[in-house]
Amino acid sequence: MYSKIISTGGYLPKKILTNKDLEKKVDTTHEWILERTGIEQRHIADDKESTSSMATKAAEDALKNSNLKSVDIDLIIVATTTPDQIFPSTACIVQNNLNINAPAFDIQAACTGFIYALSVADNYIRTGFSKNILVIGAEKYSNLLDWSDRSTCVLFGDGAGAAILSANKDKGIISSLIHADGQYNDLLSVEKNHIKMKGNEVFKVAVNTLSNLVDETLTKNNLDKTDIDWLVPHQANLRIIKATAKKLSMPLERVVVTVNKHANTSAASIPLALNEAVRDGRIKEDQVILLEAFGSGFTWGSVLLRY
Ligand code: COA
């Protein structure tokens, strides 16, 4: 049995913070941010918005776009690094908000969270435990940022994306690969409630690791890079995205890019990008899609699917 993404949804807070706005907060420039990262703006949640409220809105959007009702969902998985509270899990809060009677749990794998969540969901569907799983990536990174640290506060944004996976006998997720290596935990972590990152070193490991991951995914599935129709990467930095696209010999027109508008929304970045490309019609039925991410831990992984 395959796990097929039957619908997607997304939510972005209304408030937009541009690079120009950030120039007023820290010693930076629009040009520096754009050149080093590709980011032009990010969405920032207001005080009333939480990870769970954004996750709920993204999930409602995905449900509305499906032919399912909330009673049909038999598992909820939320990937987040910024839960409302340590417990209850964000997934349980979403479960209550949506009045869904199903088990619910969170997954924490930083920016790779959505890939980890899809991998877990895929296994629940393959084993027959679940039929329809709501998988959400939701983050409120604005809470974790030190707004006086120019090296990190310009990089992140808030938002939530969702996908509904349904058991399908013909097509869906072809493979999911997840990895972790805890030896680099000092390069990217949260200390005293703020993100600390050695950006330059993270950058180098990310580019190398994602390059190897692309090779591993293609080899494992006996595929050539020309078999991939769309790359939907984690959106941390346009230069990292371009390096992975180059490895796949893919023109940027075949890569879904949202980092310019959303910045890095961690576990929410892939489902938000996927939702955008599905909804505007770029991603079409039967196409082969490669999702990949790299994040703190370090964690990294890919999901290859036939849409
Ligand atoms: N505005 C202006 N200058 C800034 C700045 C900002 N917002 N942030 C840092 N700088 C400065 C640094 O202080 C440094 O100055 P110095 O040379 O005088 O010391 C200079 O810019 C270069 O810094 P560096 O960190 O080497 O830049 P970089 O080219 O590596 O770009 C990142 C920085 C963070 C954009 C880049 O390293 C990156 O994207 N890393 C990976 C991040 C990532 O993917 N993280 C999440 C993984 S999920």
Side-chain angles (χ1 to χ4, degrees):
M1 197 56 87
Y2 290 100
S3 320
K4 181 169 179 358
I5 293 180
I6 58 153
S7 88
T8 61
Y11 175 77
L12 288 158
K14 283 209 171 58
K15 186 181 165 195
I16 289 175
L17 190 69
T18 64
N19 292 349
K20 282 277 171 210
D21 296 330
L22 280 168
E23 286 180 2
K24 293 175 208 141
K25 288 179 184 269
V26 285
D27 181 15
T28 191
T29 60
H30 166 70
E31 290 72 24
W32 190 96
I33 302 170
L34 187 63
E35 188 195 309
R36 300 293 175 112
T37 69
I39 298 167
E40 293 164 41
Q41 61 166 58
R42 68 286 291 140
H43 293 253
I44 299 291
D46 67 28
D47 291 345
K48 290 192 207 83
E49 287 176 308
S50 61
T51 297
S52 67
S53 72
M54 292 189 284
T56 302
K57 287 192 171 125
E60 282 169 342
D61 193 32
L63 274 167
K64 202 175 67 198
N65 290 321
S66 74
N67 51 12
L68 299 183
K69 299 210 167 42
S70 50
V71 289
D72 299 318
I73 300 295
D74 48 23
L75 181 65
I76 302 172
I77 306 176
V78 176
T80 186
T81 319
T82 49
D84 295 6
Q85 301 157 252
I86 290 175
F87 60 77
S89 68
T90 304
C92 283
I93 301 171
V94 171
Q95 189 236 36
N96 183 48
N97 289 347
L98 295 176
N99 210 8
I100 292 174
N101 179 16
F105 58 86
D106 286 2
I107 279 187
Q108 208 276 50
C111 296
T112 319
F114 192 73
I115 297 286
Y116 267 65
L118 285 182
S119 166
V120 171
D122 183 37
N123 280 293
Y124 275 114
I125 286 180
R126 277 177 197 273
T127 53
F129 178 85
S130 309
K131 267 195 170 137
N132 300 306
I133 307 184
L134 176 59
V135 184
I136 305 169
E139 302 280 13
K140 188 174 176 182
Y141 260 54
S142 54
N143 269 356
L144 275 189
L145 295 170
D146 172 355
W147 287 100
S148 64
D149 174 9
R150 69 175 184 174
S151 70
T152 53
C153 77
V154 305
L155 303 174
F156 297 91
D158 300 332
I164 297 175
L165 265 64
S166 279
N168 186 295
K169 60 180 178 21
D170 300 322
K171 62 183 174 183
I173 294 180
I174 301 164
S175 89
S176 61
L177 297 172
I178 52 171
H179 293 287
D181 185 347
Q183 69 174 306
Y184 298 104
N185 58 19
D186 60 321
L187 297 188
L188 178 52
S189 60
V190 172
E191 285 160 40
K192 297 191 183 131
N193 216 27
H194 288 317
I195 293 177
K196 293 273 174 283
M197 177 168 69
K198 294 182 182 147
N200 202 285
E201 290 171 58
V202 174
F203 186 93
K204 286 180 207 147
V205 184
V207 169
N208 283 334
T209 306
L210 290 171
S211 165
N212 294 337
L213 179 67
V214 165
D215 282 338
E216 185 191 1
T217 310
L218 293 176
T219 308
K220 192 181 167 223
N221 294 289
N222 242 330
L223 286 182
D224 186 77
K225 44 194 177 185
T226 53
D227 295 321
I228 312 287
D229 293 302
W230 286 100
L231 174 65
V232 185
H234 169 51
Q235 311 280 324
N237 184 314
L238 188 58
R239 290 187 291 144
I240 299 178
I241 293 173
K242 282 183 173 166
T244 313
K246 195 170 165 208
K247 173 85 189 174
L248 282 162
S249 311
M250 279 182 113
L252 217 50
E253 298 78 61
R254 283 292 187 189
V255 182
V256 181
V257 175
T258 52
V259 67
N260 55 327
K261 294 178 296 179
H262 304 171
N264 182 348
T265 58
S266 192
S269 92
I270 290 178
L272 275 169
L274 185 66
N275 180 50
E276 204 168 287
V278 165
R279 302 286 276 275
D280 68 19
R282 272 178 289 171
I283 291 182
K284 294 185 177 59
E285 196 72 23
D286 270 332
Q287 288 183 325
V288 177
I289 320 289
L290 177 62
L291 317 176
E292 48 83 352
F294 176 88
S296 173
F298 287 141
T299 54
W300 64 100
S302 70
V303 167
L304 183 77
L305 62 95
R306 186 172 290 281
Y307 187 72

